[in-house]
Amino acid sequence: MKVLVPVKRVIDYNVKVRVRADGSGVDLANVKMSMNPFDEIAVEEAIRLKEAGTATEVVAVSIGVKQAQETLRTALAMGADRAILVVASEDVHQDIEPLAVAKILAGVVKDEAPGLVLCGKQAIDNDMNATGQMLAALLGWGQATFASELKVEGETATVTREVDGGLQAISVRMPAVVTVDLRMNEPRYASLPNIMKAKKKPLEEKTPADYGVDVAPRLTVIKTTEPASRKAGVVAKSVDELVDMIKGAGLV
Amino acid sequence: MAVLLLADVSEGKLVRDAVAKALSAVAPLGEVHVLVAGQGGDAAAAEAATLQGVSKVLFAGDHAYCHGMAEPTAALVVGLASGYSHVAAPATADAKNILPRVAALLDVMVITDVTAIQGADTFERPIYAGNAIQTVKSSDPVKVLTIRTAGFEAAPAGGSAPVEAVPGAQDPGLSQWIEDRVAHSGRPELTSAPVVVSGGRGIGSKEGFEIVEKLADKLGAAVGASRAAVDAGYAPNDWQVGQTGKVVAPNLYVALGISGAIQHLAGMKDSKFIVAINKDAEAPIFQVADFGLVADLFTAVPELTEKL
Ligand SMILES: Cc1cc2nc3c(=O)[nH]c(=O)nc-3n(C[C@H](O)[C@H](O)[C@H](O)COP(=O)(O)OP(=O)(O)OC[C@H]3O[C@@H](n4cnc5c(N)ncnc54)[C@H](O)[C@@H]3O)c2cc1C
Ligand SMILES: Nc1ncnc2c1ncn2[C@@H]1O[C@H](COP(=O)(O)O)[C@@H](O)[C@H]1O
């Protein structure tokens, strides 16, 4: 079984995001970019499936600017076998919408015929939480989202999902799309020798046109603004003072 | 213009707070029809019909729609979508699972976690863990939205809409429900509670969470947690507040032993009042807290519980 892992290049989760003063978006020039944290977890899980003998090959795919090559090299250094880069934009500030990404991924799936697509649950830049579900829809496949545990046996995947009330277990017929949540595993760091080896692994370049997909956005961003800010309040000197403050504000 | 609002149903019951808040959010868009799906959901459908602002309840009472299974429920919604300008749902885990699938089947973009509706095609949503707010205008023929309910008032009772049975779509049989592992604490529900008391890594152990729970019980509050506390096994996953957990906006949010990482703030910084107890005066949580106390929580919290 082949596993396809879509990985997105996003602003590093430690970077403090700066909204541009003119409202045109978030400043992404010269900031540290990394693999979306959920996607690292998906890559890790795919590699573990290969190590367990369940998967035969792990293919990482990224859609975006040319620089997403680096993100794919990270996936290769972690242990993915091959990578596909779909260059869909020249401007780091142009985000490709989940619907277009899902359409391109559906094209990649047609070519590659994986038994499983392991996506992240959510990209931490646009916070959409949509691509995996959209891909499953376009393919007519089953989906198991927000997974914290995955077991693959024959033609079925049994998945534990993180839901509002706690946990839910479902099984999906494969091929299927699984989107991973944060508690599925701890992704490994790539070792130096593996980083060197990754430079020689195959990385194929494509364009959206190769899959017949139009990436024109359906949503026009009118403006991007800073959220309402909060001011630091008062610090109590003792529990008694805190109790007075809480009571004084009519909170209890 | 009319809105099809997919109701959240959990264990046969209407998730009333979420549905009532999503209802107020979408009401300005036009007539609202609420879809209740799932065998045995008759009572949920009847309850939805009492919400003010609902003009009709559609009820699809098939077993396939129980447990929020995405493939059959998305097929059902798509089958009903023609004639609606908007398909919406509160941004619960179930809706986040189902509505992007619906949108893709309709060949439109989904607009998730909407915090404000400015017009029929213009919406606000947070991005980058709430560090920026984006206003987007959709050019799609149908708008598919999930509503972040924390900022909306719940629609009151007092309505009496008709309930109409609708035929179900075929279950594609791609996935199967096995079990729900849901704990019932008897406390208020996290996303709708007026007071939330949350613990972080500073709580130090599963047993330590008793301190958090005691204060919560004193205040009649729901209990929350940071991701670090959940990852460490101190608290169950459904208590997680933040970018990838639940979003809450209670009257009072009490953060105990939580540093205040942006991913945590994303889930609680719209609370009306924030109280923080942390032993580190430099902890970023104090930058958003209205009232703070720099102290060891193991002594301060029991004393606070006692004195409140
Ligand atoms: C993609 C992604 C998504 C994430 N999503 C979320 C999310 O949804 N929710 C979330 O919470 N986090 C999330 N995180 C994690 C987040 O970045 C932080 O790691 C996490 O919030 C830290 O939790 P904490 O504040 O409990 O722990 P810490 O940062 O370790 O803070 C513990 C605090 O406790 C204090 N403390 C310790 N002992 C005591 C004592 N005896 N008395 C008083 N104070 C004490 C310390 O001073 C410290 O400030 C996410 C991270 C990533 C990368
Ligand atoms: N441009 C992209 N390239 C590759 N994978 C992506 C891209 N956008 C989204 N994904 C995948 O879809 C998941 C969810 O993203 P989103 O729906 O944008 O929140 C991510 O965690 C990735 O696995």
Side-chain angles (χ1 to χ4, degrees):
Chain A
M1 177 185 73
K2 197 190 280 187
V3 182
L4 189 71
V5 189
V7 296
K8 188 176 186 186
R9 176 180 186 266
V10 297
I11 196 166
D12 187 87
Y13 79 95
N14 281 311
V15 173
K16 173 92 182 80
V17 170
R18 275 197 324 257
V19 177
R20 286 173 173 164
D22 64 359
S24 66
V26 157
D27 211 348
L28 293 177
N30 306 317
V31 298
K32 185 175 180 214
M33 304 295 281
S34 299
M35 190 190 301
N36 184 37
F38 291 92
D39 305 353
E40 284 184 353
I41 294 167
V43 172
E44 174 67 35
E45 196 67 16
I47 297 165
R48 289 188 191 182
L49 285 172
K50 192 179 168 195
E51 287 167 348
T54 313
T56 48
E57 193 184 23
V58 176
V59 181
V61 51
S62 193
I63 294 140
V65 289
K66 198 126 191 158
Q67 294 90 311
Q69 265 194 19
E70 296 157 22
T71 315
L72 289 168
R73 290 288 172 206
T74 306
L76 294 170
M78 287 174 73
D81 297 294
R82 272 179 319 104
I84 301 168
L85 171 64
V86 183
V87 181
S89 158
E90 284 180 0
D91 177 3
V92 292
H93 293 95
Q94 194 206 333
D95 193 37
I96 311 296
E97 288 175 350
L99 181 62
V101 171
K103 286 181 179 179
I104 291 170
L105 290 174
V108 175
V109 166
K110 281 219 180 76
D111 291 350
E112 297 284 340
L116 178 68
V117 178
L118 270 177
C119 282
K121 139 173 154 173
Q122 174 174 342
I124 62 158
D125 50 2
N126 63 28
D127 281 333
M128 275 285 179
N129 188 343
T131 306
Q133 299 88 314
M134 291 189 127
L135 175 62
L138 297 176
L139 295 168
W141 288 8
Q143 68 188 52
T145 52
F146 327 147
S148 59
E149 217 183 311
L150 167 68
K151 274 198 212 98
V152 177
E153 273 160 328
E155 299 298 291
T156 26
T158 306
V159 176
T160 304
R161 306 179 55 231
E162 297 206 4
V163 294
D164 286 342
L167 298 170
Q168 179 183 65
I170 66 168
S171 67
V172 244
R173 205 167 75 207
M174 309 237 283
V177 177
V178 174
T179 80
V180 311
D181 218 320
L182 292 168
R183 277 173 281 275
M184 181 172 260
N185 61 45
E186 284 262 353
R188 70 193 65 188
Y189 289 102
S191 66
L192 197 56
N194 285 343
I195 293 173
M196 300 313 287
K197 264 195 251 162
K199 293 191 172 144
K200 297 203 188 73
K201 288 185 178 174
L203 191 159
E204 195 183 351
E205 263 191 41
K206 298 275 200 180
T207 66
D210 293 333
Y211 303 100
V213 175
D214 176 6
V215 299
R218 305 291 185 85
L219 305 178
T220 312
V221 179
I222 294 177
K223 64 172 192 234
T224 306
T225 53
E226 295 256 8
S229 66
R230 286 189 87 99
K231 279 195 291 286
V234 273
V235 175
K237 287 183 198 68
S238 65
V239 172
D240 286 322
E241 203 184 330
L242 183 63
V243 169
D244 289 344
M245 287 170 168
I246 293 174
K247 285 188 174 160
L251 295 172
V252 290
Chain B
M1 286 209 300
V3 184
L4 181 65
L5 180 68
L6 175 65
D8 209 62
V9 178
S10 171
E11 300 179 314
K13 286 202 197 73
L14 186 74
V15 181
R16 184 188 178 108
D17 181 77
V19 175
K21 285 176 175 165
L23 175 60
S24 335
V26 300
L29 293 169
E31 191 171 301
V32 182
H33 298 177
V34 174
L35 171 62
V36 174
Q39 192 176 43
D42 314 63
E47 187 175 352
T50 67
L51 292 172
Q52 246 177 55
V54 176
S55 54
K56 187 158 72 171
V57 174
L58 306 177
F59 176 51
D62 194 284
H63 183 66
Y65 313 127
C66 291
H67 312 296
M69 298 303 284
E71 303 88 357
T73 312
L76 172 73
V77 175
V78 169
L80 295 168
S82 69
Y84 291 100
S85 55
H86 297 77
V87 174
T92 58
D94 278 356
K96 288 177 175 176
N97 188 27
I98 296 164
L99 282 211
R101 190 174 178 105
V102 168
L105 292 172
L106 296 171
D107 191 29
V108 302
M109 245 311 275
V110 66
I111 310 165
T112 57
D113 273 320
V114 168
T115 47
I117 296 180
Q118 294 188 347
D121 55 8
T122 309
F123 310 94
E124 282 180 24
R125 59 183 300 275
I127 53 173
Y128 293 94
N131 283 299
I133 309 293
Q134 207 170 53
T135 306
V136 295
K137 190 177 162 111
S138 165
S139 59
D140 282 321
V142 187
K143 278 71 175 169
V144 177
L145 327 164
T146 63
I147 309 290
R148 180 176 283 203
T149 52
F152 295 96
E153 294 294 326
S160 57
V163 179
E164 191 179 290
V166 291
Q170 207 179 343
D171 179 4
L174 296 164
S175 61
Q176 254 185 327
W177 176 80
I178 300 172
E179 62 169 346
D180 286 335
R181 274 171 260 152
V182 172
H184 298 277
S185 67
R187 292 197 182 89
E189 204 268 317
L190 186 54
T191 53
S192 57
V195 183
V196 173
V197 180
S198 289
R201 200 200 310 266
I203 302 298
S205 67
K206 196 172 172 171
E207 296 69 44
F209 247 78
E210 240 177 64
I211 296 184
V212 181
E213 295 181 52
K214 278 200 178 124
L215 177 58
D217 291 341
K218 182 85 182 241
L219 298 174
V223 183
S226 71
R227 175 185 164 196
V230 176
D231 286 3
Y234 308 164
N237 69 284
D238 53 299
W239 289 6
Q240 184 176 316
V241 170
Q243 179 185 20
T244 51
K246 293 194 170 118
V247 178
V248 301
N251 261 332
L252 173 61
Y253 187 89
V254 184
L256 306 171
I258 292 178
S259 62
I262 54 167
Q263 293 87 4
H264 187 79
L265 300 187
M268 44 65 77
K269 72 178 161 51
D270 292 329
S271 305
K272 291 207 181 66
F273 261 92
I274 297 173
V275 171
I277 300 182
N278 195 302
K279 69 176 180 191
D280 174 11
E282 303 297 315
I285 190 77
F286 288 122
Q287 289 161 23
V288 300
D290 299 282
F291 301 149
L293 179 67
V294 181
D296 186 311
L297 66 91
F298 294 104
T299 52
V301 178
E303 190 184 338
L304 180 67
T305 307
E306 169 81 37
K307 290 179 173 166
L308 271 175

